Amino acid sequence: MAKVIDSKIPAGPVPEKWKEYKAHQRLVNPKNKLKLDVIVVGTGLAGASAAASLGEMGFNVINLCIQDSPRRAHSIAAQGGINAAKCYQNDGDSVYRLFYDTVKGGDYRAREANVYRLAEVSNNIIDQCVAQGVPFAREYGGMLANRSFGGAQVSRTFYAKGQTGQQLLLGAYSSLSCQVQAGKVKLYTRYEMEDVVIVDGRARGIIAKDLCTGKLVRFSANAVVIATGGYGNTYFLSTNAMGCNCTAAVQCYRKGAYFANPSYVQIHPTCIPVHGDKQSKLTLMSESLRNDGRIWVPKKIEDAKALQAGTKQGWEIPEEDRDYYLERRYPAFGNLVPRDVASRAAKERCDKGFGVNNTGLAVFLDFSESINRLGIDIIMQRYGNLFEMYEEITDVFPGDVANEINGVKYYKPMMIYPAIHYTMGGIWVDYELQTSIPGLFAIGECNFSDHGANRLGASALMQGLADGYFVLPYTIQNYLADQAVWPKVSTDLPEFAEAEKKVDAELDRLLNIKGKRSVDSIHKELGHIMWEYVGMGRTAEGLKEGLKKMHELEKEFDENLFVPGTKEGLNIELDKAIHLRDFFTMGQLVAFDALSRNESCGGHFREEYQTEEGEAKRDDENYFYVGCWEYKGKGNEPELIKEPLEYEAIKVQTRNYKN
Ligand SMILES: Cc1cc2nc3c(=O)[nH]c(=O)nc-3n(C[C@H](O)[C@H](O)[C@H](O)COP(=O)(O)OP(=O)(O)OC[C@H]3O[C@@H](n4cnc5c(N)ncnc54)[C@H](O)[C@@H]3O)c2cc1C
């Protein structure tokens, strides 16, 4: 009999569920709270906000991160903004509309009740962050300013120039620091979780590696929360920070936590194109730029060929010869269609030969019209740091006038192309954000919960902070209410000793392969396989070929890897080898899931399943479920378990961004 998943969603209509949930919640007895310990792994926006909130509520929190400071978590990279349904623009926004846009943006593959809750708490996040002093952009009159992001026809994105993630993280970090000072949070920087320890079927602790000394350390607690980010770096080249990895999530998966919807990977349309084979990182140009930038390629193939050959420049092509293909195909949303739609449209143009750089894999993002309309000062106020970042990398300043045709000024356009950016899939969690292992919770990008098959721009920060500030602190108490009577387990238990021994043996194994290939050379090859066979356009045949190639490369990793140094002290190559071991497990999981889902939806595009116009073609009859995978050992196929989706408030239909 198929396994049944209890997602713990309360009964009743969607808007009432969260209220009802809170009303029926079992709260920890305040007298016992002081005895309860919670491990929070990660100090990104999700981890830092959760650790600070739990500390403030009186729990004893152990908080770990791999960087030297929580402020360096990947979340600081977030540029564009954070969504909330405040309706400050008086443009008809509402909690329901944010909920609806998010479910539609996710191509009707998200869990409806979770998304409603997310939309409902979105407004509290802005109030919380303003109270912390986050310097959101403001209008002249003092109101918080907003801009638009893809998949929405209202302006609901709050921002702090192009540094929203950094400013939000500074806010969360200040709350966290208060709790560190108060003695409620104990912070361990440069520590990496290597394994979760299960005692009597419950998560009771972790094994971590002190990255500076190489020593393995045991931590025990009443519950474990992982907030360790996404798995985008499986593809080697991505917009993610270099240190992003999926080791903690994959270890939880190996220990029995289900992994949900791994094939839902987001490819962001506006990244600086790949410019050589020595690159190890891609740079995002924020989606906010699509508020004022227009995306185009030439109408004439001879112009595209001249651009590719370098004999013509974009600013030499007059207005009438430009194809603003998003505005042409999707008149209602134009340049602000969701990311999956914009990425595929760019690929379609480039595949047809209209790419604008020497590789043919780029399109223009042009500010000429908006600079002519608003003036360079306003554009610089909005995107100054992004223009500067673009110039630093490409030596082209998008605010420079380059040409004048018939009295119209043309500015130097940016060149952009889709790249791996975000992972909607993640550790499966129920409505309470608890994984399939009791006592183990997952929040932020590392869980699968809210975005379905495609995340809308500015919704990751919203979800991470919703989880950390407003959802987990409530839901975890349902679990901890029972735990209050249990003493914290000792790290001397055999389960801890065994987990530590296994981690240690793995370190020895990797060091003793003593082959000839560096971690990066193998990781780069894995990235090529992922992009080629498990990337933007997938086919059953390609996915099978990709899986075969991944198995061969994993064998090469196991037999021919070279890791210099020892396990004592700092050894970055050893840490990267551990991450790569887990990227292999992850890459195969993405491919398995993609192969099993014989439909296209959101970021998962199977070329066999598309409409005549090249849009994703869903199969709701057979695939209207969350695909959860259970680990069955190295080299074995994981088992698929389905959580059926149930929609009460929203009618499931084909996405339409045309009218
Ligand atoms: C360039 C870029 C721009 C973006 N812009 C936006 C935007 O404008 N708006 C938006 O909503 N979203 C944006 N996103 C997405 C968003 O930034 C992320 O989804 C979000 O910040 C993830 O937060 P998190 O707390 O879940 O994880 P992270 O910020 O990735 O933090 C992970 C934490 O876990 C720790 N960690 C990881 N593994 C371990 C381990 N094994 N042991 C111990 N600690 C570990 C790390 O040290 C870190 O503290 C952007 C993403 C990128 C790449």
Side-chain angles (χ1 to χ4, degrees):
M1 204 181 102
K3 285 186 191 164
V4 177
I5 301 188
D6 178 8
S7 48
K8 293 197 192 140
I9 299 176
V14 166
E16 297 304 319
K17 284 188 202 306
W18 182 232
K19 276 183 223 137
E20 192 183 320
Y21 175 84
K22 290 210 266 188
H24 289 114
Q25 208 192 8
R26 290 172 303 152
L27 293 176
V28 172
N29 178 347
K31 279 196 205 134
N32 290 331
K33 213 170 356 185
L34 296 174
K35 294 188 207 144
L36 285 165
D37 292 14
V38 181
I39 295 170
V40 177
V41 187
T43 60
L45 277 170
S49 55
S53 304
L54 292 169
E56 196 159 338
M57 291 165 83
F59 297 104
N60 300 317
V61 182
I62 295 163
N63 190 201
L64 302 89
C65 69
I66 54 178
Q67 289 85 6
D68 55 354
S69 159
R71 285 171 302 153
R72 292 187 201 272
H74 162 63
S75 288
I76 60 156
Q79 301 170 348
I82 175 167
N83 287 330
K86 288 277 196 189
C87 194
Y88 283 168
Q89 306 304 317
N90 210 8
D91 53 5
D93 202 6
S94 63
V95 166
Y96 184 84
R97 193 159 178 174
L98 173 52
F99 158 60
Y100 179 84
D101 286 346
T102 309
V103 170
K104 176 182 172 190
D107 217 353
Y108 301 91
R109 289 291 178 267
R111 202 191 270 153
E112 202 191 42
N114 285 49
V115 183
Y116 192 86
R117 177 179 68 188
L118 174 68
E120 214 175 19
V121 302
S122 68
N123 292 337
N124 304 8
I125 297 170
I126 303 301
D127 297 342
Q128 166 88 354
C129 297
V130 168
Q132 286 169 339
V134 172
F136 284 122
R138 288 178 186 265
E139 307 283 3
Y140 183 70
M143 287 280 282
L144 294 189
N146 292 123
R147 52 191 177 200
S148 301
F149 264 53
Q153 288 174 311
V154 292
S155 272
R156 63 161 73 102
T157 304
F158 294 77
Y159 62 99
K161 220 174 181 184
Q163 314 168 339
T164 316
Q166 184 172 12
Q167 298 305 331
L168 290 171
L169 193 58
L170 286 172
Y173 176 67
S174 58
S175 295
L176 183 65
S177 300
C178 281
Q179 296 311 314
V180 172
Q181 175 74 12
K184 296 310 294 177
V185 175
K186 191 141 178 29
L187 195 58
Y188 292 85
T189 57
R190 308 289 281 133
Y191 273 70
E192 177 161 296
M193 166 178 160
E194 305 294 350
D195 203 358
V196 56
V197 181
I198 314 284
V199 181
D200 294 335
R202 290 170 189 266
R204 294 292 193 190
I206 63 167
I207 305 295
K209 181 169 177 266
D210 177 335
L211 296 175
C212 297
T213 64
K215 260 186 74 178
L216 295 179
V217 187
R218 306 173 188 182
F219 293 96
S220 82
N222 299 86
V224 177
V225 181
I226 63 162
T228 48
Y231 50 89
N233 277 352
T234 309
Y235 287 77
F236 188 66
L237 283 184
S238 87
T239 62
N240 288 191
M242 295 289 290
C244 288
N245 69 91
C246 55
T247 286
V250 166
Q251 270 307 106
C252 293
Y253 164 65
R254 291 199 185 103
K255 283 287 178 81
Y258 301 154
F259 208 105
N261 296 336
S263 65
Y264 295 166
V265 168
Q266 178 161 84
I267 293 167
H268 197 299
T270 57
C271 305
I272 299 183
V274 176
H275 59 73
D277 62 1
K278 302 283 180 286
Q279 238 178 312
S280 51
K281 167 97 188 69
L282 291 177
T283 306
L284 175 78
M285 286 288 104
S286 167
E287 177 162 317
S288 59
L289 294 166
R290 287 200 267 148
N291 273 259
D292 289 304
R294 298 176 73 194
I295 295 179
W296 66 278
V297 292
K299 276 185 186 160
K300 297 180 192 154
I301 194 78
E302 56 271 24
D303 278 346
K305 289 205 169 115
L307 289 166
Q308 288 160 19
T311 53
K312 203 169 208 171
Q313 302 297 330
W315 53 84
E316 291 169 325
I317 298 177
E319 198 59 24
E320 60 274 19
D321 290 336
R322 298 176 171 200
D323 176 15
Y324 295 97
Y325 56 88
L326 289 177
E327 297 170 32
R328 168 171 59 77
R329 285 180 66 176
Y330 308 100
F333 283 71
N335 293 293
L336 285 173
V337 287
R339 292 172 179 176
D340 56 329
V341 177
S343 292
R344 270 196 293 280
K347 182 174 185 295
E348 187 272 340
R349 284 293 77 195
C350 292
D351 288 352
K352 291 256 163 68
F354 289 91
V356 299
N357 67 353
N358 57 349
T359 62
L361 297 176
V363 298
F364 287 128
L365 176 62
D366 198 310
F367 293 85
S368 299
E369 188 273 331
S370 54
I371 299 176
N372 286 334
R373 179 167 41 90
L374 300 167
I376 187 70
D377 289 348
I378 298 232
I379 293 298
M380 286 305 283
Q381 269 171 31
R382 290 180 187 170
Y383 315 109
N385 69 317
L386 299 172
F387 276 30
E388 281 155 19
M389 196 197 304
Y390 186 81
E391 185 186 23
E392 234 168 75
I393 294 171
T394 64
D395 211 20
V396 171
F397 187 68
D400 279 348
V401 185
N403 199 6
E404 196 167 324
I405 310 174
N406 299 331
V408 178
K409 285 189 178 132
Y410 286 88
Y411 294 78
K412 291 184 177 171
M414 290 183 179
M415 282 189 198
I416 50 160
Y417 196 67
I420 295 289
H421 175 66
Y422 180 87
T423 49
M424 282 74 67
I427 292 289
W428 180 85
V429 287
D430 61 20
Y431 191 65
E432 301 187 345
L433 304 181
Q434 186 166 213
T435 71
S436 48
I437 300 176
L440 178 65
F441 293 77
I443 58 172
E445 189 173 340
C446 80
N447 76 20
F448 91 104
S449 68
D450 294 353
H451 307 293
N454 173 60
R455 172 175 73 79
L456 290 185
S459 287
L461 301 183
M462 173 174 68
Q463 181 228 328
L465 290 179
D467 287 0
Y469 284 134
F470 297 108
V471 182
L472 181 91
Y474 279 104
T475 58
I476 199 170
Q477 295 202 45
N478 245 2
Y479 175 76
L480 290 173
D482 286 343
Q483 297 303 303
V485 292
W486 293 94
K488 199 177 76 166
V489 301
S490 157
T491 52
D492 292 335
L493 286 184
E495 286 85 348
F496 277 87
E498 199 192 323
E500 185 183 313
K501 207 168 124 199
K502 278 197 179 147
V503 172
D504 198 40
E506 257 310 270
L507 300 179
D508 286 335
R509 179 181 78 87
L510 294 169
L511 283 163
N512 289 329
I513 297 172
K514 297 198 189 303
K516 295 205 159 37
R517 302 234 0 222
S518 69
V519 176
D520 280 354
S521 79
I522 300 180
H523 192 178
K524 196 183 256 189
E525 208 175 318
L526 174 66
H528 279 301
I529 298 172
M530 291 299 293
W531 184 248
E532 186 78 11
Y533 300 99
V534 200
M536 246 204 290
R538 302 161 174 177
T539 61
E541 207 184 322
L543 288 165
K544 284 180 200 155
E545 184 63 19
L547 274 166
K548 195 168 133 250
K549 285 185 183 292
M550 272 189 259
H551 283 139
E552 286 162 9
L553 190 63
E554 194 175 20
K555 196 158 174 283
E556 171 82 351
F557 172 85
D558 285 336
E559 291 172 2
N560 199 17
L561 177 74
F562 176 67
V563 180
T566 65
K567 62 184 176 183
E568 286 79 33
L570 183 78
N571 188 341
I572 293 168
E573 282 302 300
L574 180 57
D575 300 334
K576 284 196 320 200
I578 298 166
H579 298 166
L580 181 54
R581 175 198 67 187
D582 300 328
F583 286 137
F584 272 110
T585 307
M586 200 58 238
Q588 290 165 45
L589 203 49
V590 175
F592 274 126
D593 191 41
L595 194 54
S596 82
R597 197 168 269 283
N598 293 314
E599 64 162 354
S600 294
C601 55
H604 164 62
F605 192 73
R606 283 278 299 270
E607 288 174 3
E608 306 95 315
Y609 308 103
Q610 53 180 307
T611 65
E612 275 173 17
E613 292 163 308
E615 306 290 353
K617 197 168 167 191
R618 289 196 327 255
D619 175 353
D620 293 335
E621 207 170 303
N622 295 303
Y623 295 95
F624 194 49
Y625 60 74
V626 177
C628 311
W629 295 89
E630 189 175 11
Y631 186 63
K632 292 288 169 192
K634 187 172 173 179
N636 299 327
E637 268 197 34
E639 186 187 336
L640 176 64
I641 299 156
K642 300 172 187 175
E643 180 204 331
L645 290 168
E646 281 164 31
Y647 279 27
E648 291 173 1
I650 286 184
K651 186 166 170 275
V652 178
Q653 50 196 319
T654 303
R655 281 196 304 179
N656 174 7
Y657 291 104
K658 291 180 201 286
N659 42 47

